[in-house]
Amino acid sequence: MEKIINLQIEKLPEGVYLATSDDLQGLVAQGRTVAETLDIARDVARKLLEAQTKENGKM
């Protein structure tokens, strides 16, 4: 399943990039490049969505 999640990416003073999302609570990813940050954010989003699915399945 594909899902589109809006990300905000900013370059921090330390020279790394930080990605967060208002669409998916808890999504925070940091990388040395924008591409690396996007890859990490994809993995974090996948894990958060899996956890939400499991949590909703228990109810």
Side-chain angles (χ1 to χ4, degrees):
M1 175 179 82
E2 295 278 328
K3 183 170 181 159
I4 295 175
I5 297 171
N6 293 309
L7 295 174
Q8 294 81 41
I9 299 178
E10 60 181 293
K11 188 170 185 178
L12 299 178
E14 297 84 11
V16 297
Y17 294 88
L18 179 70
T20 57
S21 177
D22 292 333
D23 294 346
L24 186 57
Q25 185 178 2
L27 193 153
V28 178
Q30 181 178 309
R32 292 170 290 189
T33 65
V34 171
E36 179 182 55
T37 305
L38 286 172
D39 286 341
I40 294 168
R42 231 178 251 115
D43 289 338
V44 171
R46 189 175 297 114
K47 290 176 182 173
L48 288 170
L49 290 169
E50 286 173 4
Q52 284 181 359
T53 301
K54 288 180 183 176
E55 187 175 294
N56 289 337
K58 289 183 181 178
M59 297 179 145

